[in-house]
Amino acid sequence: MNQPKPNILFILVDDMGYGDFSAFNHGLSSTPTLDDLMRESLCLTQHYTASPVCNPSRAALLTGRYPHRTGSIDTLEWRGLERLALRETTLADVFKSHGYATGLVGKWHLGAFDPRYHPNRRGFDEAVCFRGGMHDYYRWRLEYNQQVVRSDGRYLTDVFTQEAVNFIRRHKNEPFFLHVTYNAPHTPLQVPEEERTPFLEKGIFTRGVSTLYGMIRRMDRGVERILTTLREL
């Protein structure tokens, strides 16, 4: 008897260190959702990345191969050094070939300018993303597949959360692979004031650290919304 195919949700955040989890910093930050995930699942205590640089490590996660094989070796998209080589097979390619609906929501950074490197051509049926290395959280410009959509004033982390929820609801009756790639807490350091204020009021953090922790808390709440949607469905 064939077993049902499991849905796969792969969440990746940007420039967050393990010391930014409240479980590891004695509650200085606020990451209750991520802490709960850690407690109920597997948390690696010794883990090595294929690269200490942004997009080469992303390419490795999507292919299982070293950066010198994937072609994605540096963050310099204006020189094409972030491009994931067209010869490479991605996780999305594999899942798609097995009947999965595949989606990317968030930061891509594996081919910013050449349309051949667009996520829609790298195994993702649907993509809501920006393709460069960093982006303004309020004055954003996103690609909804091949359509450009400009900012409506919402905070970018919230936009990505909503689009992830939308994808899950659209595909609730079929197996899916959803790659959610929050750019938080990567620079620029921007966050709604209500997220920064609680950390500023503690009187022990600079404005920069308070902003960073606020960005992480907002992202943590986004993950909570996504997981709540999964439980509801």
Side-chain angles (χ1 to χ4, degrees), residues 58-88:
R58 292 171 181 270
L61 285 169
L62 280 179
T63 63
R65 287 158 65 83
Y66 288 116
H68 61 272
R69 293 189 179 276
T70 67
S72 179
I73 58 172
D74 206 339
T75 59
L76 308 179
E77 59 255 31
W78 53 92
R79 295 181 61 186
L81 296 180
E82 95 294 12
R83 293 174 176 175
L84 175 60
L86 300 177
R87 64 179 177 272
E88 295 298 316

Side-chain angles (χ1 to χ4, degrees), residues 15-220:
D15 277 1
M16 181 176 176
Y18 77 89
D20 293 326
F21 290 80
S22 54
F24 293 144
N25 62 28
H26 305 287
L28 291 177
S29 62
S30 178
T31 57
T33 304
L34 297 178
D35 292 349
D36 284 345
L37 273 177
M38 195 185 310
R39 280 189 287 267
E40 71 180 27
S41 56
L42 179 68
C43 177
L44 301 179
T45 58
Q46 190 169 4
H47 178 71
Y48 300 91
T49 179
S51 172
V53 181
C54 177
N55 51 276
S57 62
R58 292 171 181 270
L61 285 169
L62 280 179
T63 63
R65 287 158 65 83
Y66 288 116
H68 61 272
R69 293 189 179 276
T70 67
S72 179
I73 58 172
D74 206 339
T75 59
L76 308 179
E77 59 255 31
W78 53 92
R79 295 181 61 186
L81 296 180
E82 95 294 12
R83 293 174 176 175
L84 175 60
L86 300 177
R87 64 179 177 272
E88 295 298 316
T89 300
T90 70
L91 276 174
D93 290 321
V94 175
F95 280 113
K96 186 174 181 177
S97 71
H98 286 273
Y100 276 68
T102 56
L104 171 80
V105 174
K107 173 178 171 177
W108 177 235
H109 207 197
L110 294 172
F113 300 119
D114 191 320
R116 294 176 299 167
Y117 297 88
H118 193 283
N120 284 153
R121 297 192 177 183
R122 308 313 305 269
F124 290 99
D125 298 319
E126 301 178 25
V128 177
C129 66
F130 67 90
R131 290 196 280 156
M134 62 184 292
H135 210 55
D136 193 281
Y137 286 82
Y138 290 102
R139 298 189 301 272
W140 42 262
R141 174 192 179 278
L142 300 178
E143 295 180 42
Y144 280 62
N145 298 319
Q146 306 305 311
Q147 180 182 1
V148 173
V149 175
R150 297 187 182 277
S151 174
D152 57 11
R154 287 180 294 161
Y155 186 60
L156 187 54
T157 298
D158 297 342
V159 175
F160 289 151
T161 296
Q162 186 60 56
E163 293 302 332
V165 168
N166 292 346
F167 179 92
I168 292 169
R169 292 193 180 281
R170 281 197 302 274
H171 299 286
K172 63 182 179 181
N173 295 320
E174 60 183 320
F176 62 77
F177 168 63
L178 174 59
H179 191 19
V180 180
T181 60
Y182 284 110
N183 56 318
H186 193 293
T187 52
L189 298 183
Q190 300 169 322
V191 76
E193 196 60 39
E194 68 265 22
E195 299 290 359
R196 176 170 39 225
T197 298
F199 297 104
L200 277 175
E201 289 177 343
K202 291 184 178 182
I204 58 174
F205 301 125
T206 65
R207 184 174 180 83
V209 171
S210 298
T211 302
L212 183 81
Y213 279 176
M215 295 169 73
I216 291 172
R217 185 166 83 158
R218 190 70 159 221
M219 180 267 295
D220 185 88

